Amino acid sequence: MTLIARLAERFAQLEDELNALDAAAGDGDHGSTILRGLRAAEGSDDPVTAFRSATGGASGALFAQLLAALLAHRGGAPLPEALGRAAARIGAIGQAKPGDRTMLDALIPASATTGVAAAAEAARIGAEATRTMPARRGRARHVEGAGLGHVDAGARSVAEMLAVLAGEAE
């Protein structure tokens, strides 16, 4: 099974949970959007473009960067470099930084590690930390409470993607 197929399988299990996290601070479709993109990417000759096209919007552009990093790593690129490059692009596209309660709060700590398991664990801890961060970017910043008390759906997705990658490395 390919990495993208494993990601699609995992996100099919997480779809409702991610949608619920997103509904607490957004429009409630994050899980469905990521799953739609992953399913489009499966079997595509250009999985990153297929993912971006199927997801659309900001989420598609941002998560396409992460998918490209995971695939680059599978192709031999060092994980910290691939994740660091993705984090820099995502930060530029979304004009976000650590502490803004975004996917970067999981991705940046992951990029500072060596080894896939360590990256997955750093991302999990970073995602969990978003529970106490008020949103400063994205739709969540306009919601009363700015998503406090809920893990950011994007950060959780980063952690889950890296957990799938770590599972492959075992």
Side-chain angles (χ1 to χ4, degrees), residues 5 7 13 20 32 50 56 79 87-88 97 105 109-110 115 121 125 147 152:
L7 289 168
Q13 297 166 351
S32 299
L79 188 61
K97 61 188 183 311
D105 293 303
E121 179 63 7
I125 291 167
D152 178 72

Side-chain angles (χ1 to χ4, degrees), residues 2-9 37-39 41-43 47 67 71 168:
T2 67
L3 173 61
I4 293 173
R6 289 181 193 278
L7 289 168
E9 182 179 273
L38 290 169
R39 286 183 172 155
E42 278 186 282
L67 183 60
L71 293 173
E168 280 200 339

Side-chain angles (χ1 to χ4, degrees), residues 146-166:
L148 285 172
H150 301 279
V151 171
D152 178 72
R156 173 73 190 279
S157 290
V158 169
E160 290 293 338
M161 288 182 173
L162 285 167
V164 168
L165 184 67

Side-chain angles (χ1 to χ4, degrees), residues 40-126:
E42 278 186 282
S44 172
D45 290 337
D46 186 353
V48 175
T49 298
F51 177 90
R52 186 182 310 116
S53 295
T55 55
S59 187
L62 300 174
F63 273 90
Q65 297 299 319
L66 176 57
L67 183 60
L70 298 179
L71 293 173
H73 171 67
R74 289 295 307 266
L79 188 61
E81 289 176 23
L83 295 180
R85 202 168 26 256
R89 289 178 180 151
I90 290 165
I93 293 167
Q95 300 178 341
K97 61 188 183 311
D100 282 347
R101 192 179 192 276
T102 70
M103 66 189 291
L104 290 176
D105 293 303
L107 185 56
I108 290 174
S111 72
T113 66
T114 55
V116 181
E121 179 63 7
R124 186 194 65 74
I125 291 167

